[in-house]
């Protein structure tokens, strides 16, 4: 009976040591990127005006916004994406060194405008319209495509293949046999990055007329993978 008491802990210790040695993992990361052509562009602009009264400031921005909306009617846009209802009115002050006080300057009214342009060939005309008809600020177009989800899936496949290739190289260098993935994770969805056409193409288009020169949307993805490995 005493012999059993002495050997049982030793057997347990030997089993634990074997499990620890065999439970090896290799952690790697991989990245992938796929380029697609943009299909549409979202345009955003704002109109601001300051006047002595809030009513006067709003009336002025409304007049400019109505001109913009009339012009947009001739553009190929998605009507459901048109948004021109955001209005902000706030008092404006300026610091006076003479009186060391904030002096009231009037009320500033601002209206926001955004819409999706469906034909990129009309991008130059759309930007020119916004500028000429009185938009105070015009943001950089945001390009998009209906193929973004499919491109991300391909980028994820590339990222996993890259991670597995690194894991195989590490396993071979360490004298191990690579097993199946124990865990796979990916980062959040990053918006596609627009890569414009070359400067030469942009310069040539500027001489002819304001028009869109094709660029590429870069859709990227990254993964972290933990592979099992054994001697």
């Amino acid at each position: 009976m005493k012999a059993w008491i002495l050997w049982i802990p030793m057997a347990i210790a030997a089993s634990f040591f074997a499990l620890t040695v065999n439970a090896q993992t290799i952690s790697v990361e991989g990245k992938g990127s796929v380029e697609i052509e943009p299909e549409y562009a979202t345009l955003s602009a704002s109109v601001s005006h300051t006047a002595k009264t809030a009513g006067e400031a709003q009336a002025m921005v409304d007049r400019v916004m109505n001109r913009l909306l009339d012009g947009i009617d001739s553009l190929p846009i998605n009507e459901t994406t048109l948004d021109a209802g955001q209005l902000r009115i706030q008092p404006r002050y300026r610091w006076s060194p003479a009186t060391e006080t904030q002096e009231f300057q009037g009320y500033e009214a601002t209206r926001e405008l955004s819409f999706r342009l469906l034909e990129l060939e009309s991008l130059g005309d759309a930007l020119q319209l916004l500028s000429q008809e009185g938009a105070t600020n015009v943001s950089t177009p945001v390009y998009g495509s209906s193929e973004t989800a499919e491109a991300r899936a391909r980028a994820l496949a590339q990222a996993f293949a890259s991670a597995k290739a690194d894991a195989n190289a590490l396993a071979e260098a360490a004298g191990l046999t690579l097993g199946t993935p124990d865990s796979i994770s990916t980062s959040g969805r990053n918006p596609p990055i627009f890569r414009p056409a070359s400067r030469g193409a942009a310069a040539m288009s500027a001489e002819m007329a304001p028009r869109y020169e094709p660029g590429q949307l870069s859709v990227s993805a990254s993964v972290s993978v933990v592979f099992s490995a054994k001697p």
Side-chain angles (χ1 to χ4, degrees):
M1 187 66 179
K2 290 182 180 179
W4 281 106
I5 295 175
L6 291 174
W7 281 103
I8 287 177
M10 294 177 64
I12 293 175
S15 176
F16 178 79
F17 177 77
L19 289 173
T20 303
V21 170
N22 290 331
Q24 301 185 58
T25 59
I26 297 177
S27 301
V28 289
E29 294 184 354
K31 295 182 179 180
S33 179
V34 175
E35 290 192 346
I36 56 177
E37 292 191 7
E39 298 175 352
Y40 56 83
T42 299
L43 301 183
S44 301
S46 62
V47 178
S48 299
H49 185 74
T50 301
K52 291 299 181 183
T53 68
E56 291 175 354
Q58 180 178 350
M60 183 61 186
V61 297
D62 286 345
R63 283 196 293 270
V64 175
M65 186 61 70
N66 287 335
R67 293 203 306 267
L68 292 174
L69 292 174
D70 289 341
I72 289 173
D73 281 341
S74 63
L75 297 174
I77 71 168
N78 184 336
E79 296 287 346
T80 62
T81 65
L82 180 61
D83 183 5
Q86 299 184 40
L87 171 68
R88 300 192 309 273
I89 300 178
Q90 56 188 0
R92 305 298 296 179
Y93 296 89
R94 179 188 299 171
W95 174 256
S96 172
T99 61
E100 295 186 348
T101 59
Q102 295 282 0
E103 294 183 351
F104 177 72
Q105 299 296 305
Y107 290 92
E108 181 184 56
T110 302
R111 279 188 68 177
E112 307 286 344
L113 169 68
S114 65
F115 58 91
R116 177 178 293 181
L117 187 70
L118 298 178
E119 297 178 9
L120 294 179
E121 292 77 9
S122 300
L123 181 59
D125 295 333
L127 294 173
Q128 195 171 50
L129 167 70
L130 294 173
S131 177
Q132 290 180 348
E133 294 300 329
T136 308
N137 180 67
V138 180
S139 301
T140 302
V142 178
Y143 300 94
S145 170
S146 60
E147 298 180 0
T148 300
E150 180 185 352
R152 174 172 166 78
R154 288 158 55 195
L156 284 170
Q158 288 184 8
F160 179 79
S162 175
K164 187 174 182 180
D166 285 349
N168 274 317
L170 289 171
E172 183 178 353
L176 300 173
T177 300
L178 192 69
T180 58
D182 286 345
S183 67
I184 305 175
S185 61
T186 181
S187 58
R189 293 174 178 265
N190 296 321
I193 298 176
F194 180 70
R195 304 192 185 283
S198 64
R199 293 182 179 179
M204 182 173 60
S205 67
E207 294 174 1
M208 299 170 57
R211 64 188 178 93
Y212 169 73
E213 283 295 334
Q216 294 288 316
L217 283 175
S218 179
V219 182
S220 60
S222 61
V223 296
S224 298
V225 188
V226 178
F227 287 93
S228 61
K230 58 183 179 180

Coordinates of all heavy atoms in Angstrom, one line a residue, residues 156-187:
L156 N -8.8 38.4 -47.2 CA -8.6 37.5 -46.0 C -8.0 36.2 -46.4 O -7.1 35.7 -45.6 CB -10.0 37.3 -45.4 CG -10.6 38.4 -44.5 CD1 -12.0 38.1 -44.2 CD2 -9.8 38.6 -43.3
A157 N -8.3 35.7 -47.5 CA -7.7 34.4 -48.0 C -6.2 34.6 -48.2 O -5.4 33.7 -47.9 CB -8.4 33.9 -49.3
Q158 N -5.9 35.7 -48.8 CA -4.5 36.0 -49.0 C -3.7 36.2 -47.7 O -2.6 35.7 -47.5 CB -4.3 37.3 -49.8 CG -4.7 37.3 -51.3 CD -4.4 38.6 -52.0 OE1 -3.8 39.5 -51.4 NE2 -4.8 38.7 -53.2
A159 N -4.4 36.8 -46.7 CA -3.7 37.0 -45.4 C -3.5 35.7 -44.7 O -2.4 35.5 -44.1 CB -4.6 37.9 -44.6
F160 N -4.5 34.8 -44.8 CA -4.3 33.5 -44.2 C -3.2 32.7 -44.8 O -2.4 32.0 -44.2 CB -5.6 32.7 -44.2 CG -5.5 31.3 -43.6 CD1 -5.5 31.2 -42.2 CD2 -5.3 30.2 -44.3 CE1 -5.4 29.9 -41.6 CE2 -5.2 29.0 -43.8 CZ -5.2 28.8 -42.4
A161 N -3.2 32.7 -46.2 CA -2.1 32.0 -46.9 C -0.8 32.5 -46.5 O 0.2 31.7 -46.4 CB -2.4 32.1 -48.4
S162 N -0.6 33.8 -46.4 CA 0.7 34.4 -46.0 C 1.0 34.0 -44.6 O 2.2 33.6 -44.3 CB 0.6 35.9 -46.0 OG 1.7 36.6 -45.6
A163 N 0.1 34.0 -43.7 CA 0.3 33.6 -42.3 C 0.8 32.1 -42.2 O 1.7 31.7 -41.5 CB -0.9 33.8 -41.4
K164 N 0.1 31.3 -43.0 CA 0.4 29.8 -43.0 C 1.8 29.6 -43.6 O 2.5 28.7 -43.1 CB -0.7 29.0 -43.8 CG -0.5 27.5 -43.6 CD -1.6 26.8 -44.3 CE -1.5 25.3 -44.1 NZ -2.6 24.5 -44.8
A165 N 2.2 30.3 -44.6 CA 3.5 30.2 -45.2 C 4.6 30.5 -44.2 O 5.6 29.8 -44.1 CB 3.6 31.1 -46.4
D166 N 4.3 31.6 -43.4 CA 5.3 31.9 -42.3 C 5.4 30.8 -41.3 O 6.4 30.5 -40.8 CB 4.9 33.3 -41.7 CG 5.3 34.4 -42.6 OD1 6.0 34.2 -43.6 OD2 4.8 35.6 -42.3
A167 N 4.2 30.3 -40.9 CA 4.2 29.3 -39.9 C 4.9 28.0 -40.4 O 5.6 27.4 -39.6 CB 2.7 28.9 -39.5
N168 N 4.7 27.7 -41.6 CA 5.4 26.5 -42.2 C 6.9 26.7 -42.1 O 7.7 25.8 -41.8 CB 5.0 26.2 -43.6 CG 3.7 25.4 -43.7 OD1 3.6 24.4 -42.9 ND2 2.8 25.7 -44.5
A169 N 7.4 27.9 -42.5 CA 8.8 28.2 -42.5 C 9.4 28.1 -41.1 O 10.5 27.6 -40.8 CB 9.0 29.6 -43.1
L170 N 8.6 28.7 -40.1 CA 9.1 28.6 -38.7 C 9.1 27.2 -38.2 O 10.1 26.8 -37.5 CB 8.2 29.5 -37.8 CG 8.3 31.0 -38.0 CD1 7.2 31.7 -37.3 CD2 9.6 31.5 -37.5
A171 N 8.1 26.4 -38.5 CA 8.1 25.0 -38.1 C 9.2 24.2 -38.6 O 9.9 23.4 -37.9 CB 6.7 24.4 -38.5
E172 N 9.5 24.4 -39.9 CA 10.6 23.7 -40.5 C 11.9 24.1 -39.9 O 12.8 23.2 -39.7 CB 10.6 24.0 -42.0 CG 11.7 23.2 -42.8 CD 11.7 23.5 -44.3 OE1 10.7 24.2 -44.7 OE2 12.6 23.0 -45.0
A173 N 12.1 25.4 -39.6 CA 13.4 25.8 -39.0 C 13.5 25.3 -37.6 O 14.7 25.1 -37.2 CB 13.4 27.4 -39.0
A174 N 12.4 25.1 -36.9 CA 12.5 24.6 -35.5 C 12.4 23.1 -35.4 O 12.5 22.5 -34.3 CB 11.4 25.2 -34.7
G175 N 12.3 22.4 -36.6 CA 12.3 21.0 -36.6 C 10.9 20.4 -36.1 O 10.9 19.4 -35.5
L176 N 9.9 21.2 -36.4 CA 8.5 20.8 -35.9 C 7.6 20.5 -37.1 O 7.9 20.8 -38.2 CB 7.9 21.9 -35.1 CG 8.6 22.3 -33.8 CD1 8.0 23.6 -33.2 CD2 8.7 21.2 -32.8
T177 N 6.5 19.8 -36.8 CA 5.5 19.5 -37.8 C 4.3 20.4 -37.6 O 3.8 20.4 -36.5 CB 5.1 18.1 -37.8 OG1 6.2 17.2 -38.1 CG2 4.0 17.8 -38.9
L178 N 3.9 21.2 -38.5 CA 2.8 22.2 -38.3 C 1.5 21.4 -38.3 O 1.2 20.6 -39.2 CB 2.8 23.2 -39.4 CG 1.9 24.4 -39.2 CD1 2.4 25.3 -38.1 CD2 1.8 25.3 -40.5
G179 N 0.6 21.8 -37.4 CA -0.7 21.2 -37.3 C -1.8 22.1 -37.8 O -1.5 23.0 -38.6
T180 N -3.0 21.9 -37.3 CA -4.1 22.7 -37.7 C -4.2 24.0 -36.8 O -3.6 24.1 -35.7 CB -5.4 22.0 -37.5 OG1 -5.5 21.6 -36.1 CG2 -5.4 20.7 -38.4
P181 N -4.9 25.0 -37.3 CA -5.0 26.3 -36.5 C -5.8 26.0 -35.2 O -6.9 25.4 -35.2 CB -5.8 27.2 -37.4 CG -5.6 26.6 -38.8 CD -5.5 25.2 -38.6
D182 N -5.3 26.5 -34.1 CA -6.0 26.5 -32.9 C -6.9 27.7 -32.7 O -8.0 27.6 -32.1 CB -5.0 26.5 -31.7 CG -4.3 25.2 -31.5 OD1 -4.8 24.2 -32.1 OD2 -3.3 25.2 -30.8
S183 N -6.5 28.8 -33.3 CA -7.4 30.0 -33.3 C -7.1 30.9 -34.5 O -5.9 31.0 -34.9 CB -7.3 30.8 -32.0 OG -6.0 31.3 -31.9
I184 N -8.1 31.6 -35.0 CA -7.9 32.6 -36.1 C -8.7 33.8 -35.7 O -9.9 33.7 -35.4 CB -8.4 32.0 -37.4 CG1 -7.8 30.7 -37.7 CG2 -8.2 33.0 -38.5 CD1 -8.3 30.0 -39.0
S185 N -8.1 35.0 -35.8 CA -8.8 36.2 -35.6 C -8.4 37.2 -36.6 O -7.3 37.2 -37.2 CB -8.5 36.7 -34.1 OG -7.1 37.0 -34.0
T186 N -9.3 38.2 -36.8 CA -9.0 39.3 -37.7 C -9.4 40.6 -37.1 O -10.2 40.7 -36.2 CB -9.8 39.1 -39.1 OG1 -9.4 40.1 -40.0 CG2 -11.3 39.1 -38.8
S187 N -8.8 41.7 -37.6 CA -9.0 43.0 -37.1 C -10.3 43.5 -37.7 O -10.9 42.9 -38.6 CB -7.9 44.0 -37.5 OG -7.7 44.0 -38.9

